[in-house]
Amino acid sequence: MKSLRATLFCAALLLISLPSFSQDPNFYIFLAFGQSNMEGSAAFEAKDTIDVDKRFQILEAVDCANLNRTKGNWYTAIPPLVRCKTGLGPVDYFGRTLVANLPENIKVGVINVAVGGCKIELFDKGNYQSYTVTAPDWMKGMLKDYDGNPYGRLVEMAKIAQKSGVIKGILMHQGESNTGDKTWPNKVKNVYQSLLTDLNLDAKAIPLLAGEVVNADQGGVCASMNAIIATLPQTIPNSHVISSAGCPDGADNLHFSAEGYRMLGKRYGAKMLSLLGYQLKEE
């Protein structure tokens, strides 16, 4: 009996010593990663920075003195949403679409870690170091912002976010630098499964939304990659491809224009809403 009491006493002390936090089930968290089209290559306009609902939040993944933002803290999701001087991207209008169509008691938080020009291998936690060693000089500054490990930073921020809300999905826009790589779906699966494992998530509850690269109807120089992206649901059952058809691009035929990002972001949002059991309101 004394042994049982001692065990219960020790267990009580352990519970008291554990850090406590209040997780809000109505704070929906979404992770985002990828390369330059996830960063957002287009300059944001004045209309993209006003009337941003405070229910749409960004967890800053880097320190940005120019924005008065500190890594690991929540802010209203006014662009830029990746690093300190990036542009408008699909996550901007993904979040806006969600808060405009979800009940008013639900908040939306995003974490966006992206590196322009990177292959999917950069987010492979087992092999990223060999990739970063050979990274071109122009990429090294971006990598430095994430202490050389973008995947690690995404997980670090996601764990902070889990103290406040509940992760509901993952967004990805990557593939241009892997154009023609038929093993890409399996490489994406490795990253997805690592995120699930490291964050204690259930694949059935966490959809992966993957956007197409600039479409052939816009003259996209990497449009052939969309045929490979289309096969992703065969490898990851709970994945969904977001069409880029009709989304305007920029002069380089590689990156979307600001309007293209708005359109693509709304499509990400509409798909996520449907997976959450909601419909777009009539505009």
Side-chain angles (χ1 to χ4, degrees):
M1 188 68 178
K2 289 183 178 180
S3 177
L4 177 59
R5 288 178 179 174
T7 300
L8 292 174
F9 178 73
C10 290
L13 287 178
L14 178 61
L15 288 172
I16 292 171
S17 66
L18 288 174
S20 62
F21 52 82
S22 178
Q23 187 182 58
D24 182 355
N26 291 321
F27 189 12
Y28 292 2
I29 309 296
F30 299 91
L31 313 183
F33 72 96
Q35 54 182 111
S36 56
N37 271 319
M38 183 56 87
E39 285 182 340
S41 179
F44 47 85
E45 302 170 20
K47 66 180 180 179
D48 303 311
T49 65
I50 60 175
D51 297 327
V52 180
D53 195 315
K54 292 183 179 180
R55 290 165 48 226
F56 178 26
Q57 299 276 303
I58 175 73
L59 184 66
E60 191 61 61
V62 297
D63 289 320
C64 288
N66 64 313
L67 302 174
N68 293 317
R69 297 180 187 172
T70 303
K71 181 182 73 173
N73 289 316
W74 291 103
Y75 301 91
T76 301
I78 299 171
L81 303 187
V82 186
R83 293 186 309 282
C84 311
K85 296 181 180 180
T86 50
L88 188 73
V91 173
D92 289 272
Y93 280 80
F94 163 78
R96 288 186 178 213
T97 300
L98 288 189
V99 296
N101 290 277
L102 288 169
E104 292 187 359
N105 66 316
I106 295 178
K107 297 187 300 179
V108 171
V110 294
I111 305 166
N112 197 345
V113 173
V115 176
C118 76
K119 290 186 175 183
I120 192 64
E121 285 84 347
L122 179 61
F123 289 92
D124 182 339
K125 73 173 189 177
N127 297 299
Y128 77 92
Q129 290 175 313
S130 61
Y131 183 86
T132 56
V133 167
T134 60
D137 289 341
W138 54 263
M139 188 184 290
K140 290 180 179 177
M142 293 183 277
L143 295 175
K144 185 177 180 181
D145 286 339
Y146 299 122
D147 293 328
N149 184 2
Y151 174 86
R153 181 63 56 82
L154 182 60
V155 170
E156 176 190 357
M157 294 299 103
K159 288 181 177 180
I160 291 174
Q162 285 179 310
K163 296 178 181 179
S164 301
V166 181
I167 295 175
K168 291 288 188 176
I170 302 171
L171 282 62
M172 180 183 71
H173 200 287
Q174 194 283 329
E176 295 90 345
S177 293
N178 288 86
T179 296
D181 182 359
K182 294 183 179 180
T183 66
W184 179 86
N186 282 319
K187 293 175 180 177
V188 173
K189 182 179 180 180
N190 288 339
V191 177
Y192 174 68
Q193 290 186 325
S194 292
L195 288 170
L196 296 179
T197 299
D198 290 342
L199 298 171
N200 193 29
L201 301 172
D202 180 0
K204 294 180 180 179
I206 306 297
L208 172 67
L209 274 55
E212 290 183 336
V213 301
V214 173
N215 204 275
D217 64 17
Q218 303 297 309
V221 294
C222 295
S224 62
M225 185 61 185
N226 286 336
I228 295 175
I229 295 173
T231 68
L232 191 60
Q234 298 172 23
T235 302
I236 303 175
N238 198 9
S239 65
H240 307 268
V241 176
I242 308 302
S243 172
S244 66
C247 294
D249 66 343
D252 62 4
N253 296 127
L254 180 65
H255 299 99
F256 296 94
S257 66
E259 184 56 30
Y261 286 122
R262 295 183 193 108
M263 290 175 63
L264 190 63
K266 290 176 182 177
R267 292 178 185 181
Y268 272 98
K271 184 60 183 181
M272 187 61 73
L273 282 167
S274 71
L275 295 171
L276 293 170
Y278 297 91
Q279 294 182 338
L280 281 172
K281 298 175 184 176
E282 293 185 8
E283 296 183 357

